[in-house]
Amino acid sequence: MRLISFLGTGNYGETTYSFESSTCRTRYVAHALASFTRPNEIRLIATAEAWNQHGDALAQGLSNSGH
């Protein structure tokens, strides 16, 4: 499965996402979706500004959860 998501420049606050009987506490919906679906490929669409603002934190969160 391939996960495609978008990353913007907003002020992403940490929240708890839930799907079926699972929950994931994170700032990024892409991280939550990856945790729920366990895709073998993740593609993020972002401007350079959005990536500079959030890319490292999102990549670290994904990496820490095994993606």
Side-chain angles (χ1 to χ4, degrees):
M1 175 194 294
R2 179 180 300 150
L3 170 65
I4 301 170
S5 188
F6 299 87
L7 184 63
T9 58
N11 183 17
Y12 296 112
E14 191 170 76
T15 191
T16 301
Y17 295 90
S18 61
F19 179 72
E20 295 180 344
S21 61
S22 299
T23 61
C24 179
R25 185 140 181 90
T26 181
R27 294 171 50 198
Y28 304 104
V29 68
H31 181 200
L33 291 170
S35 295
F36 299 143
T37 61
R38 307 303 296 175
N40 57 3
E41 183 179 345
I42 300 171
R43 298 289 177 159
L44 295 167
I45 299 169
T47 63
E49 182 181 354
W51 188 257
N52 288 338
Q53 190 172 345
H54 296 289
D56 288 340
L58 176 54
Q60 186 66 46
L62 289 168
S63 178
N64 288 345
S65 60
H67 300 287

Short mmCIF file of all heavy atoms in Angstrom, two decimals:
data_model
loop_
_atom_site.label_atom_id
_atom_site.label_comp_id
_atom_site.label_asym_id
_atom_site.label_seq_id
_atom_site.Cartn_x
_atom_site.Cartn_y
_atom_site.Cartn_z
N MET A 1 0.83 -1.17 0.00
CA MET A 1 0.00 0.00 0.00
C MET A 1 0.89 1.24 0.00
O MET A 1 1.94 1.27 0.62
CB MET A 1 -0.89 0.03 1.25
CG MET A 1 -1.69 1.29 1.34
SD MET A 1 -2.46 1.62 2.94
CE MET A 1 -3.63 0.31 3.03
N ARG A 2 0.43 2.26 -0.69
CA ARG A 2 1.14 3.54 -0.76
C ARG A 2 0.29 4.60 -0.07
O ARG A 2 -0.89 4.73 -0.34
CB ARG A 2 1.36 3.92 -2.22
CG ARG A 2 2.07 5.24 -2.40
CD ARG A 2 2.26 5.57 -3.86
NE ARG A 2 3.05 4.54 -4.49
CZ ARG A 2 2.94 4.18 -5.77
NH1 ARG A 2 2.07 4.77 -6.55
NH2 ARG A 2 3.70 3.23 -6.26
N LEU A 3 0.91 5.36 0.82
CA LEU A 3 0.26 6.47 1.49
C LEU A 3 0.75 7.77 0.86
O LEU A 3 1.96 8.00 0.77
CB LEU A 3 0.58 6.47 3.00
CG LEU A 3 0.15 7.70 3.79
CD1 LEU A 3 -1.36 7.83 3.81
CD2 LEU A 3 0.70 7.63 5.20
N ILE A 4 -0.18 8.60 0.42
CA ILE A 4 0.14 9.91 -0.13
C ILE A 4 -0.56 10.95 0.74
O ILE A 4 -1.76 10.86 0.98
CB ILE A 4 -0.32 10.05 -1.60
CG1 ILE A 4 0.35 8.97 -2.47
CG2 ILE A 4 -0.04 11.44 -2.13
CD1 ILE A 4 -0.21 8.88 -3.87
N SER A 5 0.22 11.91 1.24
CA SER A 5 -0.34 12.94 2.11
C SER A 5 0.30 14.28 1.80
O SER A 5 1.28 14.36 1.08
CB SER A 5 -0.10 12.55 3.58
OG SER A 5 -0.80 13.43 4.44
N PHE A 6 -0.27 15.32 2.37
CA PHE A 6 0.18 16.68 2.15
C PHE A 6 0.69 17.28 3.45
O PHE A 6 0.23 16.92 4.53
CB PHE A 6 -0.96 17.55 1.61
CG PHE A 6 -1.48 17.06 0.29
CD1 PHE A 6 -2.47 16.10 0.24
CD2 PHE A 6 -0.96 17.56 -0.89
CE1 PHE A 6 -2.95 15.63 -0.98
CE2 PHE A 6 -1.43 17.09 -2.11
CZ PHE A 6 -2.43 16.13 -2.15
N LEU A 7 1.63 18.20 3.33
CA LEU A 7 2.20 18.87 4.48
C LEU A 7 2.20 20.36 4.20
O LEU A 7 2.72 20.80 3.17
CB LEU A 7 3.63 18.37 4.73
CG LEU A 7 4.36 18.89 5.95
CD1 LEU A 7 3.63 18.45 7.22
CD2 LEU A 7 5.79 18.37 5.97
N GLY A 8 1.61 21.13 5.09
CA GLY A 8 1.54 22.58 4.91
C GLY A 8 2.38 23.32 5.93
O GLY A 8 3.17 22.73 6.66
N THR A 9 2.16 24.62 6.01
CA THR A 9 2.94 25.46 6.91
C THR A 9 2.17 25.82 8.17
O THR A 9 2.61 26.67 8.94
CB THR A 9 3.36 26.76 6.20
OG1 THR A 9 2.18 27.43 5.76
CG2 THR A 9 4.29 26.48 5.04
N GLY A 10 1.04 25.18 8.40
CA GLY A 10 0.21 25.50 9.56
C GLY A 10 0.90 25.19 10.88
O GLY A 10 1.95 24.56 10.94
N ASN A 11 0.28 25.65 11.95
CA ASN A 11 0.76 25.39 13.29
C ASN A 11 0.09 24.11 13.78
O ASN A 11 -0.98 24.14 14.36
CB ASN A 11 0.41 26.58 14.21
CG ASN A 11 0.95 26.39 15.60
OD1 ASN A 11 1.84 25.56 15.83
ND2 ASN A 11 0.42 27.14 16.54
N TYR A 12 0.72 22.99 13.52
CA TYR A 12 0.14 21.69 13.85
C TYR A 12 0.28 21.40 15.34
O TYR A 12 1.39 21.28 15.84
CB TYR A 12 0.83 20.57 13.06
CG TYR A 12 0.63 20.68 11.56
CD1 TYR A 12 1.69 20.98 10.73
CD2 TYR A 12 -0.61 20.47 11.00
CE1 TYR A 12 1.52 21.07 9.35
CE2 TYR A 12 -0.80 20.57 9.63
CZ TYR A 12 0.27 20.87 8.81
OH TYR A 12 0.09 20.95 7.47
N GLY A 13 -0.82 21.29 16.01
CA GLY A 13 -0.82 20.94 17.43
C GLY A 13 -0.99 19.44 17.59
O GLY A 13 -1.64 18.77 16.77
N GLU A 14 -0.43 18.91 18.65
CA GLU A 14 -0.55 17.48 18.89
C GLU A 14 -2.00 17.14 19.22
O GLU A 14 -2.66 17.86 19.96
CB GLU A 14 0.37 17.07 20.04
CG GLU A 14 0.51 15.58 20.18
CD GLU A 14 1.60 15.20 21.14
OE1 GLU A 14 1.36 15.32 22.35
OE2 GLU A 14 2.67 14.78 20.68
N THR A 15 -2.48 16.05 18.66
CA THR A 15 -3.84 15.59 18.90
C THR A 15 -3.85 14.07 18.86
O THR A 15 -2.87 13.45 18.44
CB THR A 15 -4.82 16.18 17.87
OG1 THR A 15 -6.15 15.92 18.28
CG2 THR A 15 -4.58 15.64 16.48
N THR A 16 -4.93 13.49 19.29
CA THR A 16 -5.06 12.04 19.24
C THR A 16 -5.97 11.67 18.09
O THR A 16 -7.13 12.10 18.04
CB THR A 16 -5.64 11.49 20.56
OG1 THR A 16 -4.77 11.87 21.63
CG2 THR A 16 -5.77 9.99 20.51
N TYR A 17 -5.45 10.91 17.15
CA TYR A 17 -6.21 10.40 16.02
C TYR A 17 -6.66 8.98 16.37
O TYR A 17 -5.94 8.26 17.07
CB TYR A 17 -5.34 10.35 14.76
CG TYR A 17 -4.90 11.71 14.28
CD1 TYR A 17 -3.72 12.28 14.72
CD2 TYR A 17 -5.68 12.42 13.37
CE1 TYR A 17 -3.31 13.53 14.28
CE2 TYR A 17 -5.28 13.68 12.92
CZ TYR A 17 -4.09 14.22 13.38
OH TYR A 17 -3.70 15.45 12.94
N SER A 18 -7.83 8.60 15.90
CA SER A 18 -8.30 7.24 16.17
C SER A 18 -8.88 6.64 14.91
O SER A 18 -9.48 7.33 14.08
CB SER A 18 -9.33 7.22 17.30
OG SER A 18 -10.45 8.00 16.97
N PHE A 19 -8.68 5.34 14.79
CA PHE A 19 -9.19 4.58 13.65
C PHE A 19 -9.47 3.17 14.14
O PHE A 19 -8.58 2.52 14.71
CB PHE A 19 -8.18 4.56 12.51
CG PHE A 19 -8.62 3.77 11.32
CD1 PHE A 19 -9.62 4.25 10.49
CD2 PHE A 19 -8.03 2.56 11.03
CE1 PHE A 19 -10.03 3.52 9.38
CE2 PHE A 19 -8.43 1.82 9.92
CZ PHE A 19 -9.43 2.31 9.10
N GLU A 20 -10.71 2.75 13.96
CA GLU A 20 -11.16 1.46 14.48
C GLU A 20 -10.81 1.41 15.97
O GLU A 20 -11.23 2.26 16.72
CB GLU A 20 -10.60 0.32 13.65
CG GLU A 20 -11.14 0.33 12.23
CD GLU A 20 -10.63 -0.77 11.35
OE1 GLU A 20 -9.63 -1.42 11.69
OE2 GLU A 20 -11.26 -0.97 10.29
N SER A 21 -10.01 0.48 16.43
CA SER A 21 -9.70 0.39 17.86
C SER A 21 -8.30 0.91 18.19
O SER A 21 -7.81 0.71 19.29
CB SER A 21 -9.84 -1.05 18.33
OG SER A 21 -8.92 -1.87 17.64
N SER A 22 -7.66 1.60 17.24
CA SER A 22 -6.30 2.12 17.45
C SER A 22 -6.32 3.63 17.63
O SER A 22 -7.18 4.33 17.09
CB SER A 22 -5.42 1.78 16.25
OG SER A 22 -5.32 0.40 16.07
N THR A 23 -5.34 4.13 18.37
CA THR A 23 -5.15 5.58 18.51
C THR A 23 -3.68 5.91 18.26
O THR A 23 -2.80 5.06 18.41
CB THR A 23 -5.54 6.08 19.91
OG1 THR A 23 -4.72 5.45 20.88
CG2 THR A 23 -7.01 5.84 20.21
N CYS A 24 -3.44 7.14 17.87
CA CYS A 24 -2.08 7.63 17.64
C CYS A 24 -2.04 9.10 18.03
O CYS A 24 -2.82 9.90 17.50
CB CYS A 24 -1.70 7.45 16.17
SG CYS A 24 -0.05 8.06 15.77
N ARG A 25 -1.16 9.45 18.94
CA ARG A 25 -1.01 10.85 19.36
C ARG A 25 0.17 11.46 18.62
O ARG A 25 1.31 11.02 18.78
CB ARG A 25 -0.80 10.93 20.87
CG ARG A 25 -0.76 12.34 21.37
CD ARG A 25 -1.48 12.48 22.70
NE ARG A 25 -1.45 13.86 23.17
CZ ARG A 25 -2.37 14.76 22.88
NH1 ARG A 25 -3.39 14.44 22.12
NH2 ARG A 25 -2.28 15.98 23.35
N THR A 26 -0.09 12.46 17.79
CA THR A 26 0.93 13.06 16.95
C THR A 26 0.47 14.43 16.47
O THR A 26 -0.72 14.77 16.58
CB THR A 26 1.26 12.16 15.74
OG1 THR A 26 2.27 12.79 14.94
CG2 THR A 26 0.05 11.90 14.88
N ARG A 27 1.39 15.19 15.92
CA ARG A 27 1.05 16.49 15.32
C ARG A 27 0.63 16.34 13.86
O ARG A 27 0.08 17.28 13.28
CB ARG A 27 2.27 17.42 15.38
CG ARG A 27 2.65 17.81 16.80
CD ARG A 27 3.98 18.54 16.86
NE ARG A 27 4.06 19.63 15.91
CZ ARG A 27 5.20 20.20 15.52
NH1 ARG A 27 6.35 19.78 16.00
NH2 ARG A 27 5.19 21.19 14.65
N TYR A 28 0.91 15.19 13.25
CA TYR A 28 0.77 15.07 11.79
C TYR A 28 -0.17 13.93 11.41
O TYR A 28 0.03 12.78 11.79
CB TYR A 28 2.14 14.84 11.15
CG TYR A 28 3.13 15.93 11.51
CD1 TYR A 28 4.13 15.71 12.44
CD2 TYR A 28 3.02 17.18 10.93
CE1 TYR A 28 5.02 16.72 12.78
CE2 TYR A 28 3.90 18.20 11.26
CZ TYR A 28 4.90 17.97 12.19
OH TYR A 28 5.77 18.98 12.53
N VAL A 29 -1.16 14.25 10.57
CA VAL A 29 -2.10 13.23 10.14
C VAL A 29 -1.40 12.14 9.33
O VAL A 29 -1.77 10.97 9.41
CB VAL A 29 -3.28 13.86 9.35
CG1 VAL A 29 -2.82 14.42 8.02
CG2 VAL A 29 -4.40 12.86 9.19
N ALA A 30 -0.35 12.48 8.58
CA ALA A 30 0.38 11.47 7.81
C ALA A 30 1.00 10.43 8.74
O ALA A 30 1.01 9.24 8.41
CB ALA A 30 1.47 12.12 6.96
N HIS A 31 1.49 10.86 9.87
CA HIS A 31 2.06 9.94 10.85
C HIS A 31 0.98 9.01 11.39
O HIS A 31 1.17 7.80 11.50
CB HIS A 31 2.72 10.73 11.98
CG HIS A 31 3.36 9.88 13.02
ND1 HIS A 31 3.63 10.36 14.27
CD2 HIS A 31 3.77 8.59 13.02
CE1 HIS A 31 4.18 9.40 15.00
NE2 HIS A 31 4.28 8.32 14.26
N ALA A 32 -0.18 9.58 11.73
CA ALA A 32 -1.29 8.76 12.23
C ALA A 32 -1.75 7.76 11.17
O ALA A 32 -1.93 6.57 11.47
CB ALA A 32 -2.44 9.66 12.66
N LEU A 33 -1.94 8.21 9.95
CA LEU A 33 -2.38 7.31 8.88
C LEU A 33 -1.38 6.19 8.65
O LEU A 33 -1.76 5.04 8.44
CB LEU A 33 -2.61 8.10 7.59
CG LEU A 33 -3.80 9.04 7.60
CD1 LEU A 33 -3.77 9.93 6.36
CD2 LEU A 33 -5.10 8.26 7.69
N ALA A 34 -0.10 6.52 8.70
CA ALA A 34 0.93 5.49 8.53
C ALA A 34 0.87 4.47 9.67
O ALA A 34 1.04 3.26 9.44
CB ALA A 34 2.31 6.13 8.46
N SER A 35 0.61 4.93 10.88
CA SER A 35 0.51 4.02 12.02
C SER A 35 -0.69 3.09 11.87
O SER A 35 -0.61 1.92 12.25
CB SER A 35 0.38 4.81 13.32
OG SER A 35 1.55 5.54 13.56
N PHE A 36 -1.78 3.60 11.34
CA PHE A 36 -2.99 2.79 11.20
C PHE A 36 -2.92 1.81 10.03
O PHE A 36 -3.44 0.71 10.11
CB PHE A 36 -4.22 3.68 11.02
CG PHE A 36 -4.49 4.60 12.17
CD1 PHE A 36 -4.96 5.88 11.95
CD2 PHE A 36 -4.25 4.22 13.48
CE1 PHE A 36 -5.22 6.75 13.00
CE2 PHE A 36 -4.50 5.08 14.55
CZ PHE A 36 -4.99 6.35 14.30
N THR A 37 -2.29 2.23 8.93
CA THR A 37 -2.35 1.42 7.71
C THR A 37 -1.07 0.64 7.40
O THR A 37 -1.09 -0.24 6.56
CB THR A 37 -2.68 2.30 6.50
OG1 THR A 37 -1.65 3.29 6.33
CG2 THR A 37 -4.03 2.99 6.69
N ARG A 38 0.05 1.02 8.03
CA ARG A 38 1.34 0.36 7.83
C ARG A 38 1.70 0.23 6.34
O ARG A 38 1.95 -0.87 5.83
CB ARG A 38 1.38 -1.01 8.50
CG ARG A 38 1.01 -1.02 9.98
CD ARG A 38 1.82 -0.14 10.85
NE ARG A 38 3.22 -0.56 10.90
CZ ARG A 38 4.17 0.10 11.52
NH1 ARG A 38 3.89 1.22 12.14
NH2 ARG A 38 5.40 -0.32 11.52
N PRO A 39 1.75 1.35 5.60
CA PRO A 39 2.06 1.28 4.17
C PRO A 39 3.52 0.90 3.93
O PRO A 39 4.37 1.08 4.81
CB PRO A 39 1.81 2.72 3.70
CG PRO A 39 2.12 3.54 4.91
CD PRO A 39 1.63 2.72 6.08
N ASN A 40 3.80 0.37 2.76
CA ASN A 40 5.20 0.05 2.41
C ASN A 40 5.87 1.23 1.71
O ASN A 40 7.07 1.18 1.46
CB ASN A 40 5.29 -1.23 1.59
CG ASN A 40 4.47 -1.17 0.33
OD1 ASN A 40 3.86 -0.16 0.02
ND2 ASN A 40 4.44 -2.27 -0.39
N GLU A 41 5.11 2.28 1.41
CA GLU A 41 5.68 3.48 0.79
C GLU A 41 4.88 4.69 1.26
O GLU A 41 3.66 4.65 1.33
CB GLU A 41 5.59 3.37 -0.73
CG GLU A 41 6.20 4.52 -1.46
CD GLU A 41 6.11 4.35 -2.98
OE1 GLU A 41 5.84 3.23 -3.46
OE2 GLU A 41 6.31 5.36 -3.66
N ILE A 42 5.60 5.76 1.61
CA ILE A 42 4.96 7.01 2.02
C ILE A 42 5.49 8.13 1.15
O ILE A 42 6.70 8.30 1.02
CB ILE A 42 5.26 7.33 3.51
CG1 ILE A 42 4.74 6.21 4.42
CG2 ILE A 42 4.66 8.68 3.90
CD1 ILE A 42 5.19 6.33 5.86
N ARG A 43 4.58 8.89 0.54
CA ARG A 43 4.94 10.05 -0.28
C ARG A 43 4.28 11.28 0.32
O ARG A 43 3.08 11.27 0.61
CB ARG A 43 4.43 9.88 -1.72
CG ARG A 43 5.03 8.72 -2.45
CD ARG A 43 6.47 9.00 -2.76
NE ARG A 43 7.08 7.84 -3.40
CZ ARG A 43 8.14 7.89 -4.12
NH1 ARG A 43 8.76 9.05 -4.30
NH2 ARG A 43 8.65 6.82 -4.65
N LEU A 44 5.07 12.31 0.55
CA LEU A 44 4.55 13.55 1.09
C LEU A 44 4.71 14.65 0.07
O LEU A 44 5.77 14.81 -0.54
CB LEU A 44 5.31 13.93 2.37
CG LEU A 44 5.12 12.96 3.52
CD1 LEU A 44 6.13 13.22 4.61
CD2 LEU A 44 3.71 13.06 4.05
N ILE A 45 3.66 15.42 -0.11
CA ILE A 45 3.68 16.56 -1.02
C ILE A 45 3.74 17.82 -0.17
O ILE A 45 2.87 18.02 0.70
CB ILE A 45 2.44 16.55 -1.93
CG1 ILE A 45 2.43 15.26 -2.77
CG2 ILE A 45 2.41 17.80 -2.81
CD1 ILE A 45 1.14 15.00 -3.49
N ALA A 46 4.78 18.62 -0.37
CA ALA A 46 4.98 19.81 0.45
C ALA A 46 5.77 20.85 -0.33
O ALA A 46 6.60 20.50 -1.17
CB ALA A 46 5.73 19.45 1.73
N THR A 47 5.53 22.10 -0.02
CA THR A 47 6.39 23.15 -0.56
C THR A 47 7.71 23.11 0.20
O THR A 47 7.81 22.50 1.27
CB THR A 47 5.74 24.54 -0.37
OG1 THR A 47 5.61 24.79 1.03
CG2 THR A 47 4.39 24.63 -1.07
N ALA A 48 8.71 23.78 -0.32
CA ALA A 48 10.00 23.85 0.37
C ALA A 48 9.82 24.50 1.74
O ALA A 48 10.42 24.06 2.74
CB ALA A 48 11.01 24.63 -0.46
N GLU A 49 8.99 25.51 1.82
CA GLU A 49 8.75 26.19 3.10
C GLU A 49 8.11 25.23 4.11
O GLU A 49 8.52 25.19 5.29
CB GLU A 49 7.85 27.40 2.89
CG GLU A 49 7.59 28.19 4.14
CD GLU A 49 6.66 29.39 3.91
OE1 GLU A 49 6.29 29.68 2.76
OE2 GLU A 49 6.31 30.02 4.92
N ALA A 50 7.11 24.47 3.67
CA ALA A 50 6.46 23.51 4.57
C ALA A 50 7.44 22.44 5.03
O ALA A 50 7.47 22.07 6.20
CB ALA A 50 5.26 22.87 3.87
N TRP A 51 8.26 21.94 4.10
CA TRP A 51 9.23 20.91 4.47
C TRP A 51 10.26 21.47 5.46
O TRP A 51 10.61 20.81 6.43
CB TRP A 51 9.91 20.32 3.25
CG TRP A 51 10.74 19.15 3.66
CD1 TRP A 51 12.09 19.09 3.81
CD2 TRP A 51 10.25 17.86 4.04
NE1 TRP A 51 12.48 17.85 4.26
CE2 TRP A 51 11.37 17.08 4.41
CE3 TRP A 51 8.97 17.30 4.12
CZ2 TRP A 51 11.25 15.76 4.84
CZ3 TRP A 51 8.85 15.98 4.55
CH2 TRP A 51 9.98 15.24 4.89
N ASN A 52 10.73 22.69 5.21
CA ASN A 52 11.70 23.30 6.12
C ASN A 52 11.11 23.50 7.51
O ASN A 52 11.81 23.38 8.52
CB ASN A 52 12.19 24.64 5.58
CG ASN A 52 13.10 24.48 4.39
OD1 ASN A 52 13.70 23.43 4.19
ND2 ASN A 52 13.19 25.51 3.57
N GLN A 53 9.83 23.77 7.57
CA GLN A 53 9.17 24.03 8.85
C GLN A 53 8.83 22.73 9.60
O GLN A 53 8.95 22.69 10.82
CB GLN A 53 7.90 24.83 8.60
CG GLN A 53 7.23 25.36 9.84
CD GLN A 53 6.08 26.30 9.50
OE1 GLN A 53 5.95 26.76 8.37
NE2 GLN A 53 5.25 26.59 10.47
N HIS A 54 8.41 21.69 8.89
CA HIS A 54 7.88 20.49 9.56
C HIS A 54 8.53 19.17 9.12
O HIS A 54 8.29 18.14 9.76
CB HIS A 54 6.37 20.36 9.28
CG HIS A 54 5.56 21.45 9.86
ND1 HIS A 54 5.34 21.60 11.21
CD2 HIS A 54 4.89 22.47 9.26
CE1 HIS A 54 4.56 22.65 11.42
NE2 HIS A 54 4.28 23.20 10.25
N GLY A 55 9.30 19.17 8.07
CA GLY A 55 9.80 17.93 7.49
C GLY A 55 10.62 17.08 8.44
O GLY A 55 10.41 15.87 8.55
N ASP A 56 11.56 17.69 9.14
CA ASP A 56 12.42 16.92 10.04
C ASP A 56 11.62 16.28 11.17
O ASP A 56 11.83 15.12 11.52
CB ASP A 56 13.53 17.78 10.61
CG ASP A 56 14.59 18.13 9.59
OD1 ASP A 56 14.70 17.44 8.56
OD2 ASP A 56 15.33 19.12 9.82
N ALA A 57 10.69 17.04 11.76
CA ALA A 57 9.88 16.50 12.86
C ALA A 57 8.99 15.36 12.38
O ALA A 57 8.87 14.33 13.07
CB ALA A 57 9.04 17.61 13.48
N LEU A 58 8.39 15.51 11.22
CA LEU A 58 7.54 14.45 10.69
C LEU A 58 8.38 13.22 10.35
O LEU A 58 8.01 12.09 10.69
CB LEU A 58 6.77 14.93 9.46
CG LEU A 58 5.92 13.89 8.75
CD1 LEU A 58 4.95 13.19 9.69
CD2 LEU A 58 5.18 14.52 7.58
N ALA A 59 9.50 13.42 9.69
CA ALA A 59 10.38 12.30 9.33
C ALA A 59 10.87 11.57 10.57
O ALA A 59 10.91 10.33 10.60
CB ALA A 59 11.56 12.79 8.50
N GLN A 60 11.20 12.31 11.62
CA GLN A 60 11.65 11.70 12.87
C GLN A 60 10.53 10.89 13.51
O GLN A 60 10.76 9.78 13.99
CB GLN A 60 12.16 12.76 13.84
CG GLN A 60 12.77 12.19 15.09
CD GLN A 60 14.05 11.41 14.81
OE1 GLN A 60 14.89 11.88 14.06
NE2 GLN A 60 14.17 10.24 15.39
N GLY A 61 9.33 11.43 13.54
CA GLY A 61 8.19 10.70 14.09
C GLY A 61 7.90 9.43 13.34
O GLY A 61 7.64 8.38 13.94
N LEU A 62 7.96 9.50 12.02
CA LEU A 62 7.75 8.30 11.20
C LEU A 62 8.84 7.27 11.46
O LEU A 62 8.57 6.08 11.59
CB LEU A 62 7.68 8.67 9.71
CG LEU A 62 6.42 9.42 9.28
CD1 LEU A 62 6.61 9.99 7.88
CD2 LEU A 62 5.21 8.50 9.33
N SER A 63 10.07 7.74 11.51
CA SER A 63 11.18 6.84 11.75
C SER A 63 11.09 6.17 13.12
O SER A 63 11.31 4.97 13.25
CB SER A 63 12.50 7.61 11.63
OG SER A 63 13.60 6.78 11.90
N ASN A 64 10.73 6.95 14.13
CA ASN A 64 10.60 6.41 15.48
C ASN A 64 9.53 5.34 15.59
O ASN A 64 9.59 4.47 16.47
CB ASN A 64 10.33 7.52 16.50
CG ASN A 64 11.53 8.39 16.74
OD1 ASN A 64 12.66 8.06 16.38
ND2 ASN A 64 11.29 9.55 17.33
N SER A 65 8.53 5.40 14.71
CA SER A 65 7.46 4.40 14.76
C SER A 65 7.65 3.30 13.70
O SER A 65 6.74 2.57 13.40
CB SER A 65 6.10 5.06 14.62
OG SER A 65 5.98 5.75 13.41
N GLY A 66 8.87 3.21 13.16
CA GLY A 66 9.21 2.09 12.29
C GLY A 66 8.92 2.27 10.81
O GLY A 66 8.86 1.31 10.07
N HIS A 67 8.74 3.51 10.36
CA HIS A 67 8.48 3.75 8.95
C HIS A 67 9.70 4.30 8.26
O HIS A 67 10.54 4.91 8.83
CB HIS A 67 7.31 4.74 8.78
CG HIS A 67 6.04 4.26 9.39
ND1 HIS A 67 5.30 3.26 8.85
CD2 HIS A 67 5.43 4.61 10.54
CE1 HIS A 67 4.26 3.03 9.61
NE2 HIS A 67 4.31 3.84 10.65
#
